Amino acid sequence: MENHVSRWFNVQTVPESHTFSIEDRPGKKQIPLCRTIPIIDLANSERTEIVQEIIKASQEYGFFQVTNHGVPEDVINGAVKVLEELFTMPVDEISKEANSNGWVYMGSTSFATKGAHLWRDNLKHPCHPLEQSMQNWPQKPTRYRDIVGAYIVEIRRLSLIILELISQGLGLEKGYLGGISQVQFLTASNYPPCPDPSLTLGLLKHFDHSLITILFQGNVEGLQVLKDGKWIGVEVVPNAFVVNIGTQVEIISNGKLRSAQHRVVTNKEKSRATIATFINPCPDCIIEPAKVIVNEANPPLYPSLSFKEFVNVSKPFGPFTDVIQNGCIDE
């Protein structure tokens, strides 16, 4: 496969370089699309009901979707469109742009994990502090910074709403999670059509080592969550955001809420574009069970770690088995 965007077109077979081991590949077994992962209407006037739904979903699935979130549809569509335009640029031009500005671009042959390359193109850049970070974002397409900047502003607003609802559900003081949070990273991915989705992956199974992750998954399914030892597909809900609980909130809740393993599979007929934003705490924060939650009857299940320590450990405690990269593993 040539190192150019055109490599994705008219590919008839999955090359060996992108074929994962039998243990990691999805296989040909049909994975059911789950329609029971909660879809939470943030415009519901009964705040207590919203809080209860979020806590229940976070305990049972580690995932939920939100609608009526207040992020304008044109802001979402604009961000998706400008990212799609970026991914259609020649790879040499994208790489040159990334190297000169300090953001990260990974084409389908630039990074291998578990002996194979992921079936995707991906970019990642920081988002906090926003005005400062924007100076190192892509300059092409020329409107990228304005459009994605507007998107990040909306995601920040939404993240504060969701974190406050979680704080309330856990019995934490007002602003507990929102006060320590930042929209630290954006990662966008292009998953082209794949001739044999059973052999490869868009993203290997992993946990997100964030407070929460907010994902716009477009209009094509591909996200799968591991529940009770079985994979289930996350349905696409128009104009909704997927929210998943990161390992940091699992720690803060002392295990009351759970972070779920998830992966991304490919599609034979359609391409898929996604935008994930990782909400992390400030660098000087301590990641530990909230003191209001723990007591003699409910002792802390996790040690206290500075955010730097949390980021630097390679195999965290408890159920967290993935290597942490930059405080998150991207979608």
Side-chain angles (χ1 to χ4, degrees):
M1 300 174 81
E2 296 180 359
N3 190 28
H4 190 280
V5 171
S6 63
R7 72 194 180 285
W8 291 119
F9 297 102
N10 300 317
V11 176
Q12 300 300 313
T13 60
V14 175
E16 185 177 348
S17 60
H18 288 67
T19 300
F20 282 92
S21 66
I22 294 175
E23 293 76 20
D24 293 318
R25 71 180 67 162
K28 294 186 179 297
K29 182 180 179 181
Q30 188 69 30
I31 301 298
L33 192 64
C34 180
R35 302 189 186 279
T36 58
I37 294 177
I39 301 169
I40 298 171
D41 181 359
L42 294 182
N44 186 339
S45 59
E46 296 297 328
R47 183 181 176 89
T48 301
E49 184 177 331
I50 296 176
V51 170
Q52 291 173 346
E53 289 177 347
I54 286 178
I55 296 301
K56 182 178 179 181
S58 301
Q59 292 173 325
E60 186 174 355
Y61 292 95
F63 274 77
F64 54 91
Q65 300 203 53
V66 293
T67 59
N68 291 319
H69 40 67
V71 182
E73 192 170 350
D74 62 334
V75 171
I76 298 172
N77 292 339
V80 171
K81 184 173 178 58
V82 78
L83 282 159
E84 289 176 339
E85 289 179 25
L86 187 151
F87 282 123
T88 61
M89 291 165 53
V91 166
D92 289 346
E93 187 175 345
I94 299 175
S95 298
K96 181 179 179 181
E97 172 81 11
N99 291 335
S100 63
N101 284 285
W103 50 278
V104 177
Y105 169 74
M106 291 187 290
S108 72
T109 58
S110 61
F111 177 75
T113 178
K114 289 199 172 183
H117 295 283
L118 296 171
W119 197 269
R120 70 166 186 175
D121 297 311
N122 173 262
L123 69 85
K124 179 190 290 185
H125 59 63
C127 298
H128 182 86
L130 182 57
E131 292 299 325
Q132 179 178 328
S133 298
M134 287 175 68
Q135 305 310 309
N136 296 316
W137 288 4
Q139 297 186 72
K140 297 178 182 178
T142 55
R143 65 190 191 287
Y144 182 95
R145 294 180 180 181
D146 288 339
I147 289 178
V148 176
Y151 179 84
I152 292 300
V153 168
E154 291 294 336
I155 292 298
R156 173 60 176 161
R157 180 192 59 78
L158 176 60
S159 72
L160 290 174
I161 292 172
I162 294 170
L163 289 171
E164 187 58 36
L165 292 167
I166 293 173
S167 292
Q168 183 177 335
L170 292 173
L172 306 177
E173 63 185 77
K174 185 177 178 62
Y176 185 99
L177 292 176
I180 65 172
S181 69
Q182 301 169 345
V183 185
Q184 282 202 341
F185 291 92
L186 174 146
T187 179
S189 296
N190 167 52
Y191 303 97
C194 176
D196 190 348
S198 70
L199 298 177
T200 189
L201 282 163
L203 197 57
L204 281 161
K205 67 178 181 180
H206 64 282
F207 295 95
D208 278 1
H209 299 293
S210 55
L211 288 168
I212 58 172
T213 304
I214 299 179
L215 171 72
F216 183 72
Q217 64 168 340
N219 56 9
V220 178
E221 280 87 11
L223 176 63
Q224 295 182 344
V225 179
L226 191 63
K227 185 178 187 299
D228 301 326
K230 297 181 179 179
W231 289 107
I232 56 175
V234 179
E235 68 174 317
V236 166
V237 177
N239 203 39
F241 286 101
V242 177
V243 179
N244 61 297
I245 299 299
T247 55
Q248 293 175 39
V249 161
E250 180 169 328
I251 293 168
I252 291 168
S253 73
N254 203 34
K256 182 176 181 179
L257 309 186
R258 61 183 289 261
S259 179
Q261 277 191 310
H262 51 287
R263 68 182 183 184
V264 176
V265 297
T266 58
N267 188 287
K268 193 168 185 176
E269 288 82 27
K270 299 177 181 179
S271 63
R272 181 172 182 260
T274 65
I275 310 174
T277 41
F278 294 87
I279 317 302
N280 276 328
C282 310
D284 59 349
C285 287
I286 301 297
I287 311 302
E288 63 181 358
K291 289 180 171 54
V292 71
I293 292 177
V294 298
N295 50 48
E296 288 188 8
N298 185 33
L301 301 177
Y302 312 96
S304 297
L305 292 174
S306 69
F307 181 64
K308 183 177 181 180
E309 289 172 329
F310 182 86
V311 170
N312 287 336
V313 293
S314 61
K315 288 195 175 182
F317 38 83
F320 314 140
T321 58
D322 292 286
V323 175
I324 302 175
Q325 298 175 348
N326 298 322
C328 66
I329 293 182
D330 55 35
E331 287 296 340

